[in-house]
Amino acid sequence: MTLATVPSETSPAPLSDLVARDAREFGVYARTGGWAFGLMVARSVRPGGQGAEETPKVSAKEFAELAGCSAERVMRYYKAWDRAADDGLVPHFEALAPGQEVELPDADVWLGYYVSRNSATSERGTAITEAAEAEGIRPTKALEVAENPTALRAAILADPSTARAARQALLDRVLEDPELQAELARDVVRTDDLKKAVATESRAADRIGYVRQIAESGQIKTPAGQTLDAPSDVRQEAERHLSLIDELDDGEDSGEWATDAYDTMKSLVAETVEADPELRVQERRTKFYSSLQRATKVFEELTFDDVDAQDFYEDDMVQQLEELQHAISTCIAALRGARTEAS
């Protein structure tokens, strides 16, 4: 009789490398908490202001794409590590290289840095952090300023260089913020000194634009509105004035220079018209037509629907219309007379 074979006790399966790796990573996290992940970010994400050619590290956005998570999540770890580095608990980003291991603080310390600044984890804080990195400064510095607007106001009031930096920042911001544009516009129109300053600067800008148009396009516009090719000497004069204005320092007042350039070019344009008999006649004709069209439009806008009303009539109404009729008749007679002489 054949005895049944008793299965022998099976030996343990080989330990999976994946399981072992998970266990090791779990143990590290159990001992250090978020510091382990903070280190991964700190040694792999380049700090703000550091170019890609200077380091093998990647941007927070690239790291997030590789990790399959959001850049905002990466930046929360980035900012927590940054605050701890400022306090001397961990090395700064610049001292870390990809793959480098360092001694990490205890796990219970992590939460104090990860959530200590509510502004850093908010949408507002994230925007401030990204802007700080773009400027090449540590996010913690920008967040500290944002958390103390009174200190920012004091610095602006006391220090001209801070005020200039704030002005430039507002100008950059206003281009992308329609609401801020409207608020600043309201502030300007409600403040007489600012309103006058804006009007002065706007007038100077318009005058510079007039000179720049002649220099760059090579065309002039006559007082009557004709567009003509600018004579070479006129264009050269415009270019000369424009170069003087462009060489002014950023803080230098351009108003006087703009006025001088504008008046000079206006005078040269008038001289150009007067020097050409045919152009002079065409200019007068164009000006006359323009005035005639404006007068016609104004007269057509008059409404006579209520002339029959008893309380509508005034003696001076008829008087003004009679004077207008006489002026029109005189003008017609003069034009017909000129045509007869020409023929």
Side-chain angles (χ1 to χ4, degrees):
M1 181 178 67
T2 303
L3 296 175
T5 303
V6 179
S8 59
E9 186 175 341
T10 59
S11 57
L15 180 64
S16 167
D17 291 340
L18 297 176
V19 173
R21 187 187 66 182
D22 284 346
R24 286 194 301 270
E25 292 181 356
F26 182 87
V28 170
Y29 185 81
R31 292 190 303 275
T32 63
W35 292 114
F37 297 114
L39 174 60
M40 295 177 191
V41 172
R43 68 192 183 190
S44 298
V45 174
R46 61 176 177 264
Q50 193 172 44
E53 67 280 358
E54 303 175 45
T55 174
K57 297 181 180 182
V58 298
S59 68
K61 181 180 179 181
E62 291 174 294
F63 187 86
E65 290 174 350
L66 292 169
C69 66
S70 67
E72 289 77 11
R73 179 181 293 274
V74 172
M75 287 308 303
R76 284 199 289 270
Y77 283 88
Y78 182 102
K79 288 176 282 188
W81 188 277
D82 191 39
R83 289 191 289 273
D86 285 344
D87 290 345
L89 268 70
V90 294
H92 284 292
F93 298 102
E94 294 84 351
L96 295 171
Q100 183 177 345
E101 296 292 344
V102 298
E103 185 176 352
L104 298 173
D106 293 336
D108 55 356
V109 181
W110 168 256
L111 291 180
Y113 286 93
Y114 189 67
V115 297
S116 61
R117 288 185 189 272
N118 290 331
S119 64
T121 57
S122 66
E123 181 179 351
R124 173 174 175 264
T126 298
I128 293 172
T129 296
E130 292 174 351
E133 291 174 347
E135 295 293 333
I137 63 174
R138 294 190 181 283
T140 50
K141 301 299 182 184
L143 287 166
E144 288 172 4
V145 173
E147 290 173 1
N148 196 345
T150 304
L152 176 61
R153 172 182 166 82
I156 292 173
L157 291 174
D159 179 35
S161 62
T162 303
R164 285 192 291 271
R167 175 182 64 84
Q168 187 58 55
L170 277 175
L171 288 176
D172 293 341
R173 173 65 186 270
V174 80
L175 297 176
E176 302 176 356
D177 191 337
E179 185 176 345
L180 181 59
Q181 289 180 19
E183 291 174 357
L184 286 177
R186 285 193 292 268
D187 290 338
V188 168
V189 299
R190 292 171 183 170
T191 307
D192 288 341
D193 289 343
L194 284 177
K195 186 163 58 175
K196 292 177 182 177
V198 168
T200 299
E201 291 298 322
S202 179
R203 183 166 55 252
D206 288 343
R207 289 176 171 179
I208 293 173
Y210 174 81
V211 178
R212 189 179 300 279
Q213 190 273 334
I214 295 175
E216 294 180 353
S217 72
Q219 292 186 319
I220 58 174
K221 181 172 284 187
T222 68
Q226 297 186 83
T227 299
L228 311 168
D229 289 335
S232 59
D233 59 329
V234 174
R235 185 172 186 177
Q236 289 172 5
E237 186 67 8
E239 292 172 346
R240 186 182 71 82
H241 279 281
L242 192 61
S243 66
L244 292 173
I245 293 172
D246 289 341
E247 289 173 4
L248 295 175
D249 295 334
D250 290 340
E252 196 170 351
D253 183 14
S254 62
E256 185 176 348
W257 295 83
T259 298
D260 180 55
Y262 179 81
D263 290 344
T264 299
M265 299 315 302
K266 278 287 188 179
S267 177
L268 289 175
V269 169
E271 292 175 6
T272 299
V273 173
E274 286 299 315
D276 186 334
E278 184 177 346
L279 180 58
R280 188 167 63 247
V281 171
Q282 182 61 32
E283 183 77 353
R284 291 166 57 191
R285 184 184 294 115
T286 301
K287 186 177 180 180
F288 183 87
Y289 268 121
S290 178
S291 299
L292 180 60
Q293 289 171 352
R294 287 198 302 271
T296 301
K297 183 176 180 181
V298 170
F299 191 79
E300 288 174 345
E301 290 175 352
L302 292 177
T303 303
F304 301 101
D305 295 340
D306 299 325
V307 294
D308 293 334
Q310 295 180 357
D311 58 349
F312 183 84
Y313 176 84
E314 295 287 348
D315 289 339
D316 63 338
M317 291 181 181
V318 175
Q319 181 181 350
Q320 290 188 41
L321 286 171
E322 288 175 343
E323 291 173 354
L324 177 60
Q325 183 182 36
H326 177 70
I328 292 174
S329 298
T330 301
C331 184
I332 292 173
L335 287 173
R336 285 175 174 170
R339 184 180 64 179
T340 300
E341 292 179 3
S343 60

